[in-house]
Amino acid sequence: MIVYVNGETRDCAENSTVADVVSDLGLTGKKIAIELNKEILPFQQYDIQVLQAGDRLEIVHAIGGGQDDSFMLAGVKYHSRLLVGTGKYKDMEETRLAIEASGAQIVTVAIRRTNIGQNPGEPNLLDVISPDKYTILPNTAGCYTAEDAVRTCRLGRELLGGHKLVKLEVLADQLTLFPDVAETYIAAELLVKDGFDVMVYTNDDPIAAKRLEEIGCVAVMPLAAPIGSGLGIRNPYNILTIIENARVPILVDAGVGTASDAAIAMELGCAGVLMNTAIAAANNPILMASAMRKGIEAGREAFLAGRMPRRRFASASSPIDGLFF
């Protein structure tokens, strides 16, 4: 059954207790407080409180300044909300340095001989971005049918030793690189049934995004603008609607051009942003990777802080009472 822990979905066995969840999270014996469905739950009841499907737990602890602002993806906690690709860099060394500067923990790779380095004499990308250091996210870039996308994911799983997390994209044409949503539905259903944890690229249609969530995708990734365009978020209200109605992480994918675009995505409430061209095609990719990292962090902090309301007219920062003229 599905319950929600600190806003993230979690799959629990039937008749699980709050204590079971606390144990699974490694928090047994820790100084924590728990709210169950907006009601404080005394710690004496953790062992006897049986959870029901849809229950919402908020678990808090005391920290010394700052906060642990992580997000869960397929049961794994990530602290970096910037996900990066590996294409279009001039060489492997620039790839390595840019990824390090980005602070990313999840790195996406295309499943191709030319990218993974299967040809004799070619450098191997996985030597540069070791699976021991990063979560490698195989993607189906360049696939135009559900069949090809599913085959590619299965090859990626074999390549990475049973790795289940994949990024699904099924493209409609080579000019726009927009998603073929109908084929994406088919591929998503097949991959979910095959045990994959699917992060799915789609358009900024709230209906399509919800359908993909209901199919069982662990994250939905609406485009900000066409892939590689650098146009920024063209339909922020669509993205906002998707976020407001989602129960899985929403990450903007494609179209980001600079750090302010990334900040806007995070200010809308996105769980993260995936990008490649915006960093790799910059004049200084390593510096841009650092800028994107800061843009993500600033946008997230602004979202958590809560912006002031927009007003039509001015509002004085200083009080007018006590003026001496």
Side-chain angles (χ1 to χ4, degrees), residues 28-262:
T28 301
K30 304 291 186 181
K31 189 68 175 177
I32 58 175
I34 297 181
E35 185 183 75
L36 173 61
N37 299 329
K38 300 186 177 181
E39 296 289 339
I40 298 297
L41 184 69
F43 73 89
Q44 298 94 336
Q45 297 182 22
Y46 292 178
D47 288 322
I48 61 174
Q49 181 64 56
V50 177
L51 292 169
Q52 304 295 322
D55 278 349
R56 292 181 176 270
L57 292 171
E58 292 291 335
I59 304 177
V60 301
H61 66 158
I63 58 175
Q67 59 185 325
D68 177 18
D69 182 36
S70 58
F71 76 106
M72 298 291 293
L73 186 60
V76 179
K77 180 186 289 188
Y78 294 97
H79 296 278
S80 173
R81 294 174 180 271
L82 176 57
L83 293 69
V84 296
T86 52
K88 302 183 180 180
Y89 291 99
K90 68 180 182 181
D91 53 36
M92 290 291 186
E93 180 64 8
E94 185 177 75
T95 304
R96 181 184 70 83
L97 292 173
I99 291 173
E100 287 183 355
S102 75
Q105 294 174 282
I106 301 175
V107 181
T108 183
V109 299
I111 305 303
R112 297 191 184 93
R113 289 192 298 272
T114 53
N115 199 359
I116 294 300
Q118 297 299 302
N119 293 332
E122 288 186 5
N124 194 318
L125 181 61
L126 297 183
D127 293 333
V128 176
I129 50 166
S130 170
D132 295 331
K133 183 177 181 180
Y134 300 101
T135 294
I136 306 301
L137 181 64
N139 71 57
T140 62
C143 291
Y144 292 87
T145 68
E147 180 184 3
D148 286 346
V150 171
R151 289 177 57 211
T152 299
C153 287
R154 288 172 176 163
L155 283 168
R157 180 169 60 185
E158 180 69 18
L159 176 67
L160 296 170
H163 188 78
K164 296 195 302 178
L165 186 66
V166 294
K167 180 198 166 188
L168 170 65
E169 57 181 72
V170 185
L171 304 177
D173 62 71
Q174 295 185 7
L175 176 63
T176 67
L177 299 183
F178 281 139
D180 184 327
V181 177
E183 287 289 298
T184 300
Y185 290 155
I186 296 169
E189 289 176 345
L190 291 170
L191 290 170
V192 169
K193 288 178 181 177
D194 199 14
F196 284 93
D197 294 322
V198 180
M199 303 174 66
V200 59
Y201 166 70
T202 185
N203 57 27
D204 57 5
D205 176 2
I207 305 303
K210 194 63 181 177
R211 169 77 181 277
L212 290 163
E213 177 187 327
E214 291 168 349
I215 286 171
C217 297
V218 300
V220 178
M221 308 176 73
L223 56 81
I227 291 173
S229 67
L231 291 173
I233 298 178
R234 297 294 85 199
N235 294 305
Y237 290 105
N238 281 25
I239 302 293
L240 183 60
T241 299
I242 292 170
I243 294 167
E244 290 174 340
N245 290 283
R247 293 185 177 181
V248 298
I250 302 300
L251 298 92
V252 157
D253 178 19
V256 168
T258 190
S260 59
D261 297 332

Side-chain angles (χ1 to χ4, degrees), residues 14 54 168 189 228 318 324:
E14 295 292 334
L168 170 65
E189 289 176 345
S318 301
F324 54 85

